Amino acid sequence: MEGNIAEIYRAYRINSTANSHGNQTREQKTVLKNPQDRTHHNASGIKMQGNLDKDTTNFTTKFIDEVNKHDKAAISKEELFKMAASPIAPIRRVLGVKDSSERNKRVKTAGLALLALNNLPMDFSDINSVLKQIKNKKIAPNPTQMEFTFAQDTLLEFPLRQLRKKFDTQKFDTVYDKIDKSLFNTKIGQKIVNAMNLTVTREIKPGESMDIIKNGLKQNKVYIIKGKSKIAKLICRSMMRIPVLSVAAFALLEIPDIVSAVKNEEQKDKKIQAAGKQLLKSGINIASMVAGMAAVGAVLDRRFGAIGSLIGIGIGNYFGEKAGTFVNNKLFENKNNK
């Protein structure tokens, strides 16, 4: 907006100067006839031009200030809405798609839209659980932690159930467990848990088996975490809330940005450096967002159950993204300025 006003004002000054030169030429012709008129006309003309320049400058400055105030107010309201709406998963996902679309990231926009559509059943199921909790006035701490997966309670459940029928169910379940799991159930996750001296056991309710099959698909596992360190238990709970396939999906959506970074780098010897830089930036964005959702969601879930988990995921997502942007700006923007 400021750039447009500056261009208009510059054009105005050029026209004014051109008109001023034209007036001076005409005035010089008049001077030959009447010197007194020349002196009087120049004195008043200079005064009027000075006042006009001053008034125009003041008006432009005030106008730009007003535009900036309205822009800042609009941004603040938009950010406030994003933060307030972040616990409502469908809205949060739609806003993510909108933001990506406004940045002309077509592949990422399409990917986020597909993820949003796939997660609709799970999102509405979570909202329904919260509404039941509020209705029954059972907002209580949750001592256990459910392991989050990528496909559970999503649109992917239906094709997976159909696929399970065509194979040996036991073998299918074993493969499914190995693929769709949380960070907790990876080798590195288990090493972290062992290093923190935690005792983690499956919660098996009376009459239930180790593997619960519901609607033709294995259900999420629920764990009981015991240990002296609250921080260690929080880390463990957070890892259970990070599906490996979700991280992989977010990583795939960052590939177009890495490719663009390489293409935009004109110097061939710096293309690898550009790819590494964008890879690091994307990694920071994903890590901060995922960690924020997992950690804040785990804290509030432990204190308030389902409603705490829902609010925590939203708040963690919002501030996690902000944290990633802040870190990247500090690491890369400052270097570019130097």
Side-chain angles (χ1 to χ4, degrees):
M1 187 69 184
E2 291 182 30
N4 292 335
I5 291 173
E7 289 298 325
I8 294 169
Y9 181 65
R10 192 178 295 110
Y12 165 77
R13 292 288 296 119
I14 292 171
N15 292 333
S16 297
T17 304
N19 291 335
S20 177
H21 286 312
N23 290 337
Q24 287 179 6
T25 303
R26 288 192 297 271
E27 287 167 11
Q28 286 174 356
K29 293 179 180 179
T30 307
V31 166
L32 298 176
K33 296 181 180 180
N34 191 342
Q36 288 184 350
D37 288 345
R38 174 182 180 272
T39 304
H40 176 73
H41 183 81
N42 280 342
S44 62
I46 292 170
K47 184 177 180 181
M48 289 177 64
Q49 183 65 38
N51 288 338
L52 182 60
D53 288 347
K54 186 177 180 181
D55 291 343
T56 304
T57 303
N58 290 337
F59 171 78
T60 304
T61 303
K62 289 180 180 179
F63 184 75
I64 291 173
D65 289 341
E66 286 298 318
V67 170
N68 286 336
K69 287 180 181 178
H70 286 294
D71 284 346
K72 288 179 180 179
I75 292 172
S76 298
K77 289 179 180 178
E78 183 179 352
E79 288 300 315
L80 185 62
F81 173 74
K82 284 183 179 179
M83 185 170 62
S86 60
I88 306 173
I91 297 178
R92 181 178 70 246
R93 298 185 199 278
V94 169
L95 290 175
V97 173
K98 178 177 176 290
D99 181 64
S100 181
S101 176
E102 289 175 350
R103 296 183 183 185
N104 294 322
K105 297 183 178 182
R106 297 180 180 179
V107 176
K108 191 171 185 178
T109 300
L112 290 175
L114 287 174
L115 287 175
L117 181 64
N118 178 60
N119 287 316
L120 268 179
M122 178 180 64
D123 292 339
F124 284 119
S125 176
D126 291 341
I127 293 172
N128 187 48
S129 297
V130 169
L131 293 176
K132 285 182 178 180
Q133 190 181 21
I134 295 173
K135 183 179 179 180
N136 298 328
K137 298 180 181 179
K138 291 184 178 180
I139 302 177
N142 180 19
T144 63
Q145 176 60 59
M146 178 183 291
E147 180 182 18
F148 285 16
T149 56
F150 181 75
Q152 193 69 47
D153 296 327
T154 69
L155 293 179
L156 283 175
E157 267 200 352
F158 178 75
L160 284 173
R161 287 197 299 266
Q162 301 305 312
L163 190 63
R164 186 174 183 267
K165 293 177 182 178
K166 297 181 180 181
F167 294 91
D168 180 270
T169 56
Q170 189 173 1
K171 289 182 178 179
F172 180 90
D173 292 341
T174 301
V175 174
Y176 176 75
D177 267 352
K178 290 181 178 180
I179 296 175
D180 196 1
K181 58 187 176 182
S182 70
L183 183 60
F184 164 77
N185 269 319
T186 61
K187 290 182 179 180
I188 188 172
Q190 289 299 302
K191 287 182 179 180
I192 293 172
V193 171
N194 293 332
M196 294 187 298
N197 295 320
L198 295 174
T199 302
V200 183
T201 56
R202 286 277 304 276
E203 182 191 50
I204 307 297
K205 295 180 179 179
E208 291 183 349
S209 62
M210 287 290 290
D211 296 321
I212 304 171
I213 306 299
K214 183 180 179 182
N215 295 327
L217 195 66
K218 288 182 68 173
Q219 297 301 290
N220 302 75
K221 302 168 186 174
V222 179
Y223 293 92
I224 301 171
I225 307 168
K226 293 183 179 180
K228 294 181 180 180
S229 173
K230 291 183 178 180
I231 295 178
K233 287 189 286 186
L234 172 61
I235 293 173
C236 185
R237 290 175 69 95
S238 298
M239 287 194 299
M240 290 180 181
R241 301 172 72 91
I242 302 176
V244 174
L245 290 181
S246 293
V247 177
F250 288 132
L252 287 174
L253 294 180
E254 294 294 326
I255 290 178
D257 287 344
I258 298 172
V259 174
S260 296
V262 175
K263 286 184 177 180
N264 293 334
E265 179 55 59
E266 296 179 357
Q267 300 182 29
K268 292 183 179 179
D269 58 331
K270 291 187 177 181
K271 286 186 177 292
I272 296 177
Q273 183 180 351
K277 179 181 175 181
Q278 183 58 49
L279 185 64
L280 181 58
K281 290 175 70 174
S282 297
I284 290 172
N285 285 332
I286 294 172
S288 60
M289 178 189 67
V290 171
M293 294 170 67
V296 182
V299 170
L300 297 186
D301 175 57
R302 178 68 182 84
R303 297 290 181 182
F304 307 106
I307 189 171
S309 177
L310 199 68
I311 294 173
I313 289 173
I315 293 175
N317 176 271
Y318 179 83
F319 286 104
E321 288 183 348
K322 295 296 179 185
T325 302
F326 175 80
V327 172
N328 279 329
N329 287 340
K330 287 293 183 181
L331 286 177
F332 301 106
E333 298 301 328
N334 290 344
K335 290 183 179 179
N336 291 337
N337 292 334
K338 290 179 181 179

